[in-house]
Amino acid sequence: MAQNTTFRTSIKQDTLADHMVEFLSRVSSALRNLADSADHAAKMVRKADAARRS
């Protein structure tokens, strides 16, 4: 019986680990997108600033 309980606990931990990996993957992707957006915005600001100066 104890072995069966341990197996169920192991399954629950694996499922939790899978959910955590998926969650962290989505967070990582969102942060990359945010960084790309910030980079793009900075480029547009530099371009507008250069156009204003000329």
Side-chain angles (χ1 to χ4, degrees):
M1 184 68 182
Q3 188 176 14
N4 190 21
T5 303
T6 303
F7 179 71
R8 279 197 310 255
T9 302
S10 176
I11 294 290
K12 287 179 183 177
Q13 287 173 345
D14 288 347
T15 301
L16 178 60
D18 289 343
H19 285 299
M20 288 301 296
V21 166
E22 178 65 25
F23 172 75
L24 292 174
S25 175
R26 288 177 187 235
V27 168
S28 176
S29 179
L31 289 174
R32 270 195 306 275
N33 288 342
L34 184 62
D36 288 345
S37 294
D39 185 50
H40 179 70
K43 286 178 185 175
M44 293 299 105
V45 168
R46 285 193 298 272
K47 188 175 181 180
D49 190 40
R52 187 175 47 108
R53 288 182 188 202
S54 54

